[in-house]
DNA sequence: CAGAATCCCACTCGATACTG
DNA sequence: CAGTATCGAGTGGGATTCTG
């Protein structure tokens, strides 16, 4: 948790939040997890088209380290893994929801303006 | 607006939102603007202790380009400038608010756990 | 005070190849 | 399928200096 540079000495709450979700793709991953409940690596790779496999693995690892998501490995052939939100991770729902709602509003706006 | 790499072809709303606020310090700047209504450069520089002057200027410029904040210059000596939210920028309040609320919750949590 | 310009290093991140 | 390892180009971003 000291990989980020935000100084929380003064306890700025937004900086605290950013420590967890400021990774380049984290909130998008969380968005999909809130929608699907369970996600597989390959599925996320398809959804996040512009996120490289390496980046996806890194972001997932950080989210797991931070206790936001849980990784479940099934020893089958071919290998199978899935990711779910932890109880702690689920508390982030209002944040992700607000982001998704604003994005929906904006997409609508952008569409009507282009007409 | 093509400085970010998020692909919104499929209209992922979270990615749309990130196009505007994913800059390293943007949401913190917005947080202060929602609190203070009006902010000066030097004041922000003091508040965002770990954000360099260069970064602060860059982030403010991007927010201005995106129509989220407005820059007001007063031709006095010494130079004076302030920043306010545009009408469009104000629509982001629920997002910033959700982040600040979660951060407050987390700070509380972290404090009680350290005892 | 409020920035712009320049320099330059560290690290990010994509591409590719490999593994259980 | 679900990753890890390695490498190298590109960029982020700090330090410093300069200006109106």
């Amino acid at each position: 948790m000291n990989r980020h540079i935000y100084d929380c000495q003064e306890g700025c709450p937004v900086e605290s939040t950013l420590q967890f979700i400021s990774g380049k793709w984290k909130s998008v991953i969380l968005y999909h997890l809130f929608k699907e409940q369970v996600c597989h690596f390959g599925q996320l790779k398809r959804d996040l088209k512009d996120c490289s496999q390496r980046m996806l693995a890194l972001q997932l690892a950080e989210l797991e380290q931070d206790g936001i998501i849980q990784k479940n490995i099934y020893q089958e052939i071919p290998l199978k893994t899935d990711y779910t939100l932890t109880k702690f991770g689920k508390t982030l729902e209002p944040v992700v929801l607000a982001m998704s709602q604003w994005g929906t509003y904006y997409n609508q706006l952008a569409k009507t303006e282009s007409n």
Side-chain angles (χ1 to χ4, degrees), chain A:
Chain A
M1 274 298 303
N2 48 2
R3 91 184 72 88
H4 302 288
I5 48 85
Y6 302 102
D7 179 357
C8 287
Q9 192 167 18
E10 308 179 68
C12 170
V14 172
E15 295 188 14
S16 292
T17 304
L18 287 175
Q19 304 222 21
F20 291 94
I21 64 165
S22 71
K24 206 172 185 180
W25 293 97
K26 287 185 185 173
S27 31
V28 183
I29 293 172
L30 291 177
Y31 170 65
H32 284 282
L33 268 169
F34 278 116
K35 269 206 316 193
E36 320 284 348
Q37 311 292 339
V38 179
C39 284
H40 299 261
F41 191 86
Q43 176 194 348
L44 285 168
K45 206 167 75 176
R46 258 170 279 124
D47 292 338
L48 283 63
K49 285 173 20 199
D50 289 338
C51 178
S52 68
Q53 173 168 319
R54 182 182 181 279
M55 270 310 293
L56 180 56
L58 283 175
Q59 301 282 291
L60 286 169
E62 287 194 6
L63 285 171
E64 191 194 359
Q65 278 175 38
D66 288 345
I68 293 174
I69 64 174
Q70 186 179 349
K71 177 179 180 174
N72 310 296
I73 306 181
Y74 306 92
Q75 289 299 353
E76 305 171 3
I77 304 292
L79 225 48
K80 202 176 144 187
T81 316
D82 64 40
Y83 295 90
T84 51
L85 289 155
T86 63
K87 191 177 164 192
F88 177 57
K90 285 179 184 166
T91 65
L92 280 165
E93 181 157 27
V95 179
V96 177
L97 190 63
M99 294 181 63
S100 108
Q101 283 174 342
W102 190 89
T104 303
Y105 155 77
Y106 174 76
N107 284 347
Q108 208 79 33
L109 194 70
K111 200 168 65 180
T112 60
E113 270 184 4
S114 68
N115 292 343

